Amino acid sequence: MNLQKITIREYLTQKGIPFHDNGKELITKCLFNNCDKDSSGSEAHLYFSTETGQYNCKKCGVKGNLITLAKFLNDDPIKIGPVNIETRKRNVRTITPLLVEKYHNSLTPEIREYLNNRGISDKIISEYKIGYGNFHKTWWITIPIKDLTGNFVYLKLRQDPKYGDKKITWPEGEAQIYEWDDVINATDRLLITEGETDALLMKANGINCISSTHGANTFKEEWLKYFNKDISYYICYDNDAAGRSGTQKVISLLYKNGFKNINVITLPDIVGDKGDLGDYVSRLRLPISDLFSKYSKPYPEKIDASIFQPITSKDIVEVLEPTIKKDDVAKVITTLAMINTYTEESQMNIFFNAPSSTGKSHIPLSISELFPKEDLIILANCSPAAFFHEQGKYVKEVNEIRVDLSKKILIFTDMPHPELLTRLRSFLSHDQKESKSKITDKSEKGGNRTKVVVLIGFPTVMFCSAGLKVDEQESTRFIMLSPSIEQDKLIAGIKQSIQKEANKQSFRASIEADEKRSLFKKRILAIKQANIADVIIGNSDLVEKLFLHDTSKPIKPRQQRDIKKVICLIKGFSLFNLWFRKRDGDYIYATEEDITEAYKLWDSISIGQDYGLAPYIFKLYTDIIIPLWKEKINSKDLDNNFPSSGIKRQEILKKHNETYGRPLSMIYLRQHILPQLEQAGLIAQEKSNDDGRQMVVFPLELEIDKDIQNNSAYDSVVKQERKYSDSWGGVKVQNVNLTDKKYE
C-alpha cells in the first residue's frame, strides 16, 4: 500500500479501523496496548490529528505518527513520505488584479515625479501598474510581478526614497522573470538587466527588456527553456562586484545551454562605481544606441586564430616568467594540466607539496589568472558537506545534490578535509563520469538526514599542502610538484615582491600590458571555444618505447596511472598547437613533437614520481642524505666502508641549512619528511649504536644518481641530448657511486 498521498482519515478507512470524527481529531479505540478493552460503547482514547496525522492515546500514553502506525500495522514504511494531510486554513495573501489596481491608483504625484526623473514614463507606469502602498509600517513603491502563466504572484516593493532604499517582496515569493511576456514574445533581441526599474526604463525607450526580481545573482538556469535561441541577447548589469558576478553567471548559463548570440554591455567608467542604466540614460543622457554598439562585445570574444604561432615549453615559460620566477617545469606542467580542462576526459590532478612560505599556491593561482573566471573554483579547507552544498544544486524530487564540475579548474589553496579527499578518490581516478556518495545533514528538527551526492564530469584538481604526509592512494592520482627553494629563485622572488608591493597598481598594469601574456590569454580562450573532445595519439609505438625504455627495472603498479599522466601532457601540447595539428571534427592528432616535448618534462620529474614523493622531499634525499652518507664513507677505513652509526637527524638539519640557506625544524623532519622517505623505501631508521636514545638514518638506494642519469628516454630512443638544469627541473645530484675507485 502506498501511503505517500493519503490522509490519516483515508488510511484508517482503508485499514478498516472504525473511528468517529471530532472536529480536527479522529478518535478510535487504542490499537497498541489493548487499553480500551474495558471501555464501554463509543468510549475510546486514541486521538489522531487530521492536520498532522500524529496520534496520542490518552489512556496508555503511546504517541506517534502515520509512519509509526504503518510500521505497527506491517505496511512498508519506506513508501511513506510527505503525507497529504488535511491542512488547516491559512491566511494566504492573494495578489489580485483588483489589489494591484488599488495600489496603482494610490500612486502619489511625488512618486510619479521620482519615477519620471528615472526615465520611467507615465505610459509605462500605467501599462505596468506601478503603485504605492504601506507595508510593515512604512511606504513602498509597488511593482506587480507575474508568473509564467500570467498570474500575479507578489508585489516587488522598493522603499520610498524618503524612508530608505530597501527592496523586498510582499508576500514572500521565489525569483521570477520580469516580465515573462517579453521573453515569450521576443523576436529580435532581448536586453537582460539587473533590476525592475532598469527594465522599466529601457521599456520606456522602446527596448525589449527583462530582469530577475531577486537581484544580480538569482537568474535561474531552468528559465532558459522558455528563451528563444535564435535571437540576440544583451546583458547589462550594474557597475559593481555584484553586477559583474551576475553578468558572468547569466552569460555562462546562456553559453552552457547552447545560445550563440550573446553580448555583454559594459557601462563606461563615467557612470561611476555602482553606476547603472539609470545613471547612463537619465543622469548622463548618453546615447542608448551606443550600448548596443560602442559598449557591447560578443561573448565569447571572437578570436582570429591566424594571430597564433606554434609554441613550445620555452614559450610558455617566457609568458609566465613575469609572474612566476624559475620553477619552469612546475609552471609548464600546471599550464598543460589546466588547458586539458577543455577536453572531455583528459583532465589531470596536481599536488603541490612543500614546506610553508615556498610558494605552493602561488604557481596555480598565478596561472589560473590566464583562464576564464567562470571556469575557476578556488577554495581553502572545507568539509565534504560544505563543498557539496556550495558547488551543487539540490534536486528535492529525488533528494540529490548534483555537483557538475565538468570542465572546471578546482584549486584548493590548503589541504581539504581528509574526508572530502576520501570521497573524491574515485572521482579523481576518472572511474565514472557520474559517481554517487552520501552525506548526512542536520534536519530542521535536529535529526540526521541523508542525501545522495552526484558528482558529474571531470575537473582539473589541484591541491596545495605544507603537510608532506601523503597517502599512497593520493600520490598515485596526482603529479607531485614542489616549488624550488634554491637561492637564485628566492632572490628573484624577493625582487618581484618588492616591485609588486612598492606600487601594486603599476605592477599589475605592467603585467596586463604584456603583449605575450595578452596573446596567451586569447589562445586559451580560443582553445576553449574550439570544443576539442580529445586528442588522438597515432604514434603509440613511440609512447611505448619512451615509457618502457629502461627494461632493467621492474614495472611498478603505480606506473599504470603514471602513463595516463604522460599522455595528458602530450595532449596538452597538442591543444596549445591545435591550429597546426591535423583535425577531424572534434578531435585533433598529436605529433611526435608533442610526444617528445611531453617526455622532456616527464623525465625531469619521473624518478621522484616513481617513489610517490614530492620533488622537495626527493631532492632532500639526493642533495642532503646521500652527500652526508658519502662524507661518512670517505671518513671510514677501506675495510669498514659501511658506517654503522648512520646519519644523525641533527646532521640532516645542519646540512639542509647549509645547502638551502633555510632552517628545517626537527619536528617537521621527524613527522613529515623521514616517514615519507621510509614509506618510499629510500631510507631505514634504527637506533644509534653510539646512543640508543637517538634514531639514525640509513639510505637504501645508494645508486639513485645512476637511475637519474640513465632515466632519459631520449638517449636511447629519440637520440636527443638531455640537460639536467635547475630551471628545467633537473635534479642536481652529487655522485655517490660506491664502486668508484676513489672510495677504495
Side-chain angles (χ1 to χ4, degrees), residues 294 480 606:
K294 183 177 179 180
M480 306 291 292
S606 61

Side-chain angles (χ1 to χ4, degrees), residues 347-351 421-431 459 461-463 470-480 558 561-562 564-565 609 612:
Q347 290 77 11
M348 298 165 59
N349 308 312
I350 293 180
F351 201 132
L421 197 54
T422 300
R423 291 178 181 271
L424 291 176
R425 276 177 184 158
S426 62
F427 191 59
L428 296 173
S429 299
H430 292 195
D431 293 338
V461 181
M462 300 190 179
F463 290 136
V470 181
D471 191 286
E472 186 178 4
Q473 295 187 76
E474 272 67 66
S475 68
T476 60
R477 290 173 167 85
F478 293 85
I479 289 182
M480 306 291 292
R558 65 166 291 131
R561 283 182 172 162
D562 286 345
K564 296 178 182 178
K565 300 169 188 173
Q609 305 298 312

Side-chain angles (χ1 to χ4, degrees), residues 479-535:
I479 289 182
M480 306 291 292
L481 297 177
S482 300
S484 170
I485 57 172
E486 304 289 345
Q487 285 296 300
D488 57 344
K489 181 268 178 82
L490 297 179
I491 292 171
I494 290 171
K495 290 180 178 179
Q496 183 189 60
S497 295
I498 292 172
Q499 293 177 352
K500 181 178 179 179
E501 297 303 321
N503 191 333
K504 290 184 178 180
Q505 186 175 358
S506 175
F507 179 81
R508 175 49 58 184
S510 67
I511 295 298
E512 294 302 326
D514 187 334
E515 292 184 3
K516 290 183 179 179
R517 180 182 175 90
S518 177
L519 186 62
F520 197 68
K521 291 177 74 172
K522 288 184 178 180
R523 192 184 201 105
I524 290 170
L525 191 57
I527 293 169
K528 176 183 177 180
Q529 293 174 13
N531 292 316
I532 301 298
D534 201 3
V535 178

Side-chain angles (χ1 to χ4, degrees), residues 30-36 45-47 55-64:
C30 184
L31 305 171
F32 299 94
N33 297 316
N34 204 26
C35 61
D36 271 322
H45 297 89
L46 182 60
Y47 287 70
Y55 58 80
N56 178 19
C57 181
K58 305 294 186 181
K59 195 168 185 180
C60 67
V62 66
K63 295 181 180 180

Side-chain angles (χ1 to χ4, degrees), residues 155-196:
L155 299 175
K156 182 67 182 289
L157 305 182
R158 297 179 63 91
Q159 200 167 16
D160 184 329
K162 289 188 297 186
Y163 304 111
D165 60 356
K166 293 181 180 179
K167 304 177 186 70
I168 61 173
T169 65
W170 184 90
E172 292 183 359
E174 295 183 352
Q176 292 284 344
I177 287 289
Y178 182 74
E179 288 240 334
W180 274 109
D181 284 348
D182 293 296
V183 173
I184 305 302
N185 299 323
T187 57
D188 181 18
R189 71 180 180 189
L190 184 63
L191 175 64
I192 303 175
T193 64
E194 186 170 330
E196 298 84 11

